[in-house]
Amino acid sequence: MKRNDLQTIMRRAWHLFRSMGKAFAVCLSKAWQLYRLTKRMRAGVVRFAYEKADGTLRKAAGTLHEVSATIKGTGRPDGGQAVRYYDVEADGWRSFKVENLIAIYQ
């Protein structure tokens, strides 16, 4: 684990604490869950679920492995407020707010 990873985890935990209003321990646990999700997505395809902006549940299969050629945009960081991933089923880039993660499947 790099120092930058720990900074990202803590930044997400504090963002969750301010936005969700839950105990910091709960927010820190969710931030670690998000870290493990992105780490697994860098190695391959991961199935997970999150709540969409309209309130519906979205089950996705995403990856960050070998998709750097498809990246477009400014490359501007988001401050740890969203998780971006490549959806292998929809064949495109998607993102979700960190507080909306529900579950990570095998």
Side-chain angles (χ1 to χ4, degrees):
M1 171 184 285
K2 299 176 188 172
R3 180 178 175 173
N4 190 30
D5 294 337
L6 188 57
Q7 288 174 345
T8 302
I9 292 166
M10 292 304 290
R11 186 180 315 116
R12 281 188 173 154
W14 280 109
H15 170 74
L16 289 166
F17 181 70
R18 287 188 293 273
S19 66
M20 293 174 62
K22 294 191 177 186
F24 187 73
V26 173
C27 297
L28 189 59
S29 174
K30 187 168 275 278
W32 275 103
Q33 187 181 24
L34 289 160
Y35 169 74
R36 287 190 292 271
L37 172 66
T38 55
K39 186 176 178 181
R40 285 180 55 195
M41 282 197 294
R42 282 188 217 114
V45 177
V46 181
R47 299 189 83 55
F48 56 95
Y50 62 91
E51 183 180 348
K52 290 174 37 173
D54 63 1
T56 60
L57 182 69
R58 166 92 159 92
K59 293 181 181 178
T63 187
L64 295 173
H65 183 67
E66 296 181 1
V67 292
S68 60
T70 63
I71 294 176
K72 297 178 184 176
T74 63
R76 193 176 72 220
D78 64 351
Q81 299 175 4
V83 174
R84 297 179 185 125
Y85 67 96
Y86 189 81
D87 193 331
V88 295
E89 295 169 344
D91 198 31
W93 286 95
R94 304 287 185 267
S95 67
F96 63 92
K97 292 182 181 179
V98 293
E99 56 264 15
N100 292 345
L101 179 66
I102 303 293
I104 302 171
Y105 308 113
Q106 276 192 354

